[in-house]
Amino acid sequence: MIIDLHSHSTASDGTLSPAEVVRLAASIGIDVLALTDHDSAAGWAEATHAAREVEVALVPGIEISTKHSGTGVHLLAYLPDPTSEPLDAELTRILNGRAGRLDDMVQRLNDAGIDLTVEEVLTQVGPAPAIGRPHIADALVGKGVVPDRKAAFERWLNRGRPAHVERYAPDTGAMIELVNAAGGAAVIAHPWGRDSRQVLDAATFSELTETGLAGIEVDHQDHDSNDREALRRIARELGLVVTGSSDFHGDGKLNHNLGCNCTDEHEFDRLLGRAAANAERSGAAVPLVVGR
Ligand code: AMP
Ligand code: FE
Ligand code: FE
Ligand code: ZN
């Protein structure tokens, strides 16, 4: 059973449409796929439709931008009701923050002598409600300023680089509570990748577990074998679900092919159990796993 619980489409910063991601997953033998676009459920409807026509179970999810102690932490929310009022209000605030910084980032690039317009970035964004730095990166690649997304981040877009501008993100613990109240289950994405490593130690995982965290994404390309072993131990001690996923972005992220990391079937069942318990407690209208 191949279970991949983290992927992106053109509803955020992936390069394949939601239906294309679902069909690709089915064609390479993935049994369960979660579509987890950044801060939006906009891809769910198309992905659900596609999943009904092929042999793959679809788990609707959202990768939510949060901050713990001022540092970015990505929170995977599985099966939350996206129309739950407080959750929807926070997602709108995050999306507005994404859109709101675009002018500033383009201005910073212009100040550095790069010819780029907001319209050129919006062409890359297309229908995605979540405007992200990868779209700016793609515009820069299109103009020949940098060879690929990675280079754009390293030279211009990462925190601390010349074109970086902060954006709004809610507190991680507060968001875990909103996800649970919306009947979902919350899992910290790639906890020891990039920035979040600095703020997510064992004591913090313990605190967040008391707040209602369901799991940790242990098997991810950002983690080496030592990281995975240490995170697995923390998860075991705290009773957290262990997930593994590709964080697929189409051509947007190299070395993140669908199925490159997987979630154990038993762990997946535990995750579904956590979402079901939260849904029962809150009375939220939970979206179903399609095709299972
Ligand atoms: P943003 O959503 O604007 O905060 O940008 C963060 C997103 O950019 C992440 O979710 C990744 O998908 C992507 N990203 C970050 N670093 C890189 C990189 N070095 N290469 C390609 N994509 C990246
Ligand atoms: Fe992304
Ligand atoms: Fe992420
Ligand atoms: Zn992701």
Side-chain angles (χ1 to χ4, degrees):
M1 184 99 157
I2 303 177
I3 304 172
D4 185 341
L5 295 181
H6 185 165
S7 70
H8 296 265
S9 73
T10 49
S12 63
D13 55 4
T15 58
L16 299 184
S17 71
E20 286 168 339
V21 177
V22 167
R23 284 190 218 115
L24 176 62
S27 76
I28 62 175
I30 303 247
D31 298 288
V32 179
L33 175 79
L35 182 72
T36 53
D37 278 301
H38 295 289
D39 307 313
S40 171
W44 289 11
E46 184 186 317
T48 299
H49 194 79
R52 292 212 168 96
E53 291 174 354
V54 290
E55 285 289 305
V56 67
L58 176 76
V59 181
I62 308 173
E63 184 177 18
I64 304 176
S65 310
T66 72
K67 276 184 188 167
H68 183 78
S69 304
T71 296
V73 170
H74 285 180
L75 190 71
L76 290 158
Y78 295 105
L79 294 157
D81 171 6
T83 65
S84 156
E85 171 52 37
L87 176 61
D88 179 57
E90 277 301 326
L91 293 176
T92 301
R93 229 178 136 186
I94 299 169
L95 293 176
N96 288 341
R98 286 177 166 281
R101 73 170 170 175
L102 179 58
D103 283 2
D104 282 358
M105 292 191 70
V106 170
Q107 185 60 51
R108 281 168 180 252
L109 289 163
N110 293 159
D111 291 346
I114 292 171
D115 165 43
L116 179 75
T117 65
V118 168
E119 288 67 36
E120 284 165 337
V121 178
L122 291 177
T123 303
Q124 299 298 329
V125 174
I131 301 176
R133 284 173 285 168
H135 299 117
I136 302 177
D138 289 348
L140 293 173
V141 174
K143 303 201 83 166
V145 176
V146 287
D148 52 30
R149 278 187 183 183
K150 187 166 183 283
F153 272 87
E154 285 167 2
R155 176 69 185 89
W156 299 105
L157 306 174
N158 274 332
R159 207 177 201 185
R161 303 308 294 160
H164 184 261
V165 175
E166 286 292 327
R167 62 181 167 84
Y168 172 74
D171 174 70
T172 308
M175 184 47 77
I176 290 170
E177 288 175 343
L178 290 190
V179 169
N180 291 354
V187 172
I188 298 206
H190 46 72
W192 287 355
R194 289 188 284 277
D195 303 341
S196 57
R197 172 185 285 266
Q198 301 151 23
V199 293
L200 295 173
D201 56 12
T204 304
F205 282 122
S206 171
E207 262 168 50
L208 294 175
T209 301
E210 277 174 36
T211 306
L213 180 69
I216 324 185
E217 188 179 59
V218 171
D219 291 299
H220 184 282
Q221 298 299 73
D222 284 357
H223 301 148
D224 64 20
S225 55
N226 289 334
D227 289 343
R228 295 179 191 210
E229 200 182 310
L231 284 167
R232 223 179 288 283
R233 193 175 321 121
I234 290 171
R236 198 180 312 122
E237 278 165 14
L238 295 172
L240 291 168
V241 174
V242 169
T243 70
S245 308
S246 63
D247 201 357
F248 176 70
H249 280 69
D251 298 333
K253 231 176 181 179
L254 299 176
N255 197 27
H256 285 261
N257 290 334
L258 278 179
C260 66
N261 297 295
C262 301
T263 300
D264 179 87
E265 197 175 343
H266 173 66
E267 296 295 304
F268 177 55
D269 283 339
R270 287 178 67 209
L271 184 66
L272 292 179
R274 291 294 297 262
N278 288 336
E280 188 162 356
R281 202 170 302 124
S282 66
V286 175
L288 295 173
V289 177
V290 180
R292 198 165 190 254

